[in-house]
Amino acid sequence: MPRVPLLVLLLVLTACSEPEATPPPPTSSAALPLVQSGPATPDQRPVASIQITHRAGTTALAGTTGPIPQGTVVEISVLADIDDQVLVEPLGISTALSGGSAQLRFTAGTPGTFSIRLRDKGLELTSLTVG
């Protein structure tokens, strides 16, 4: 009989000697502040889009015609059946025309008339008037 109470005593002592589980650290439920990136308002500058297609020696134009006001964003898309370099002279703006297309985007800041041409072919596609 003395063994039963001893066994119970051992179980009680073992249960009491184990450390209590510590609660997990508190977590914050506060939301992080929002961080806004980019401009607070959309770009309000006017955009002039010009599409130039040059195939089989013939050039066709679509989009903005006539003088473009200074400060306007100019987007030029060129589609062609040749590889070359599209150049806006004398602004010195150029891009490769490869795989049949090229894109140019810039702000018209200098008044005047500027030739848009294929550099290697020496072919003027059209002209751009800013003013």
Side-chain angles (χ1 to χ4, degrees):
M1 285 251 197
R3 291 188 162 199
V4 174
L6 185 59
L7 183 59
V8 171
L9 181 61
L10 284 176
L11 288 174
V12 169
L13 288 176
T14 304
C16 290
S17 66
E18 289 183 24
E20 288 186 28
T22 57
T27 58
S28 174
S29 61
L32 296 174
L34 294 177
V35 176
Q36 187 174 8
S37 63
T41 58
D43 189 350
Q44 299 295 317
R45 295 179 296 170
V47 176
S49 296
I50 302 168
Q51 297 82 37
I52 303 169
T53 304
H54 181 77
R55 299 201 189 274
T58 303
T59 303
L61 301 172
T64 303
T65 59
I68 296 172
Q70 278 183 276
T72 299
V73 175
V74 179
E75 295 177 342
I76 300 173
S77 299
V78 180
L79 300 175
D81 55 3
I82 57 173
D83 288 343
D84 206 319
Q85 190 82 8
V86 179
L87 178 64
V88 181
E89 292 184 315
L91 297 178
I93 299 170
S94 67
T95 191
L97 171 62
S98 62
S101 68
Q103 303 286 322
L104 286 168
R105 182 180 167 99
F106 59 94
T107 301
T110 305
T113 300
F114 308 99
S115 172
I116 301 172
R117 67 180 188 94
L118 298 178
R119 184 187 70 191
D120 297 340
K121 293 285 184 189
L123 177 67
E124 183 174 329
L125 300 172
T126 190
S127 61
L128 171 70
T129 302
V130 176

